Amino acid sequence: QKEVEQDPGPLSVPEGAIVSLNCTYSNSAFQYFMWYRQYSRKGPELLMYTYSSGNKEDGRFTAQVDKSSKYISLFIRDSQPSDSATYLCAMNEAGGTSYGKLTFGQGTILTVHP
Amino acid sequence: ETGVTQTPRHLVMGMTNKKSLKCEQHLGHNAMYWYKQSAKKPLELMFVYNFKEQTENNSVPSRFSPECPNSSHLFLHLHTLQPEDSALYLCASSQGGGWETQYFGPGTRLLVL
């Protein structure tokens, strides 16, 4: 079983749609949860991060973490063509021997068409 | 130059060649990372350097040899690679070696023939 599972898609939605991206994980020690966005021919850039369970909102983006279900989500409201990219979830334990070691999902390819 | 830069952006090499990838960060960070990104696979952490000391080697074959002369520069020396090593190699940096935000470079697209 992979430590982090992410549906690779591809996901294609019309402009203005609400997009839901999800990851599940198996390591209960993960405490920090991140979403990265990667445009074609670029490196990943951090979009949002959360610590432990709960919600975090930033503009059109909302990140949710449900540690009891080992499930994280990223919601994009009013999606735009400029949101077309690959979205990667990543997570990390707090301290210990995995210091600095992010575990990534496979990435979901999202296309928002006008 | 700002952020994290990587050179070259594209590289084609034969299995007997020796080449090096270069990464430079202009963010004043103390930790640097090498990742491998293959199609349809998650990013794989290869090496971590914290204050120039290697703190992680994720069971990477010896044909990949990292070098970190200072906190701003990171190299990945390549020799006798295999076709399955073809991938996007990403460099990242962070303030420390903990969970802090990692800033990625644009990557080097490597093709091994």
Side-chain angles (χ1 to χ4, degrees):
Chain A
Q1 181 189 10
K2 293 178 188 174
E3 267 197 301
V4 180
E5 298 269 6
Q6 183 177 6
D7 184 344
L11 187 60
S12 181
V13 302
E15 184 175 354
I18 296 174
V19 176
S20 172
L21 304 167
N22 312 294
C23 287
T24 58
Y25 62 94
S26 57
N27 185 349
S28 57
F30 286 141
Q31 297 277 4
Y32 297 96
F33 303 91
M34 285 144 266
W35 286 96
Y36 281 82
R37 178 175 61 196
Q38 186 174 19
Y39 290 116
S40 181
R41 288 192 266 289
K42 300 269 182 140
E45 58 176 335
L46 183 69
L47 201 54
M48 296 188 74
Y49 77 88
T50 52
Y51 172 68
S52 196
S53 283
N55 294 359
K56 186 171 184 177
E57 191 173 317
D58 184 2
R60 295 184 295 110
F61 298 88
T62 299
Q64 284 186 353
V65 174
D66 181 349
K67 289 193 71 183
S68 61
S69 303
K70 298 192 181 69
Y71 188 87
I72 69 170
S73 300
L74 178 71
F75 296 97
I76 307 175
R77 289 185 299 281
D78 187 25
S79 56
Q80 303 295 309
S82 58
D83 295 327
S84 299
T86 298
Y87 289 80
L88 306 162
C89 64
M91 40 203 83
N92 193 7
E93 299 177 27
T97 58
S98 66
Y99 197 57
K101 190 174 175 179
L102 289 178
T103 301
F104 284 84
Q106 189 175 348
T108 300
I109 301 170
L110 171 68
T111 302
V112 181
H113 50 86
Chain B
E1 292 276 15
T2 58
V4 181
T5 58
Q6 290 186 244
T7 55
R9 293 293 308 277
H10 301 273
L11 180 61
V12 180
M13 59 188 290
M15 289 192 283
T16 58
N17 291 158
K18 287 185 182 180
K19 296 285 183 184
S20 294
L21 309 185
K22 179 183 175 183
C23 175
E24 185 172 359
Q25 59 94 1
H26 308 268
L27 300 168
H29 289 166
N30 298 307
M32 296 187 78
Y33 310 77
W34 279 117
Y35 286 89
K36 177 183 178 183
Q37 188 175 35
S38 305
K40 300 183 181 177
K41 283 183 157 183
L43 261 76
E44 299 171 53
L45 178 66
M46 300 175 73
F47 301 104
V48 180
Y49 278 83
N50 204 9
F51 290 94
K52 302 187 297 177
E53 298 298 319
Q54 189 181 115
T55 57
E56 183 85 23
N57 176 338
N58 206 21
S59 303
V60 180
S62 59
R63 57 185 184 270
F64 294 91
S65 175
E67 179 190 358
C68 188
N70 55 61
S71 293
S72 299
H73 294 86
L74 186 64
F75 296 89
L76 188 63
H77 304 298
L78 316 171
H79 65 98
T80 59
L81 294 192
Q82 305 298 309
E84 60 264 29
D85 296 323
S86 299
L88 181 68
Y89 288 85
L90 291 161
C91 173
S93 71
S94 69
Q95 184 61 47
W99 69 272
E100 305 94 344
T101 303
Q102 293 183 18
Y103 293 84
F104 285 83
T108 294
R109 176 72 62 187
L110 173 67
L111 178 62
V112 181
L113 301 176

